Structures are given as C-alpha cells and as structure tokens.
Amino acid sequence: DRIDWESPRSIVQFLDQYVIGQDYAKRTVAVAFSTYVTRKKVGDEELPKENIILIGPSGVGKTYMVSLLAKHVSLPMVQTNLTGKSTEGYKGENLSGVFGQLRAQTSGEAPYGVVFFDEIDKLTHDQWGSGSGFGLGLQDEIIGWLEEAVVSYAPESRNSSGMNSKLNTRNILFVVAGAFQGVGGESSLAG
C-alpha cells in the first residue's frame, strides 16, 4: 500500500484497490493530490494547488476516495454538508465553523489540510426557485476561500479575549462534491 505521491499513476493504483470504476474521478483526484502533497513536501507555496469538484450520485465513492488519500498521507481532513449552513452574520450554523474543526487538528497561520464541502449542488437554484435561501451567499464565501483568504471563525471554546480565531486558507486543499441531479435524473448541469 505504498504510494509514490509524485506519481498520479501510483495514486490511481492505490485507489483501484478500494474504489470500483470511477476512472475519471480517480485520475482527477490523483493529479490534484500528487501536486498538493508535492507542494507540502517541498514547502513551495508557488506550486499550484488544484482544488477539486466531484460530481456524481450518492454512494459512488466521492468522499471515500478523498478521505482514503488524506488518511494515507496523514493530512487532516474535515468535511461538512452544506445543507442548512448559513453565511457569516446570520443565525444558524455558519459555514466558517469548519475551519475551527481543521484548526483543532493543525497549527500555523496557513495549515495544510483537506476541507470537503458536500452537497454543493444544494446551493444552486433551479428554474422553480428551490434551493437554500443562503445559497448565493455561501457560494460567494466558498469562492473567496479557494485560493487565499484569512477566515475568522468561532473556535469550539473562544480564547480568553472572547475574539474569533483566524486561519489563512492558502494551503488548504478544497474539495466540493454534489450529485447535481435535475428533473427526471438528468444532470442539473446539462444545459
């Protein structure tokens, strides 16, 4: 089960042992992880960070592939379902809380780790206007975090000053996933 992280082919061979089919997804995830692990290993933040979007129905292995690789390379990984999350400034569970979960496993101003946002398709609005009322705001928040942003989040237990904590996202590998199913099982991305 040894992986050569500089070789996407080696990563795909590892995933082949656990995930049946999904060849395109495995190749895509393998290339992104290869680049990301190399970036972390050599400490060169100028190497590109290829965030990932995975599209497919529940149960095909989207989360499983990413969690297998993160665990195998000892990267902290946190995941959250976007359904029911709110944007900053609104009541409810703010999406930025996921960074508190990551911080509990990491240190440093700009830690390395994987943040997995599931059900991103629930943030879109279809022609009938259904979808999360906070969808567009959450989309904007996520887009702002993808390359580099300093995010304030409320830690599990606030520090002695009562202030929010901060984290820079420049070294975080973001993965978003969703089914994107439209009417009658047709992809909502078909246009």
Side-chain angles (χ1 to χ4, degrees), residues 102-146:
L102 184 65
R103 173 54 79 208
Q105 302 175 52
T106 62
S107 61
E109 171 201 344
Y112 283 86
V114 179
V115 172
F116 192 103
F117 293 127
D118 202 7
E119 296 196 10
I120 194 162
D121 54 321
K122 303 301 189 280
L123 301 183
T124 62
H125 294 275
D126 61 27
Q127 62 193 16
W128 298 280
S130 66
S132 167
F134 295 109
L136 295 177
L138 288 173
Q139 287 176 34
D140 288 345
E141 277 187 350
I142 292 168
I143 289 168
W145 298 335
L146 290 178

Side-chain angles (χ1 to χ4, degrees), residues 69-84:
L69 293 177
K71 183 177 180 181
H72 204 75
V73 75
S74 300
L75 276 172
M77 178 179 160
V78 294
Q79 72 181 79
T80 190
N81 184 318
L82 294 176
T83 303

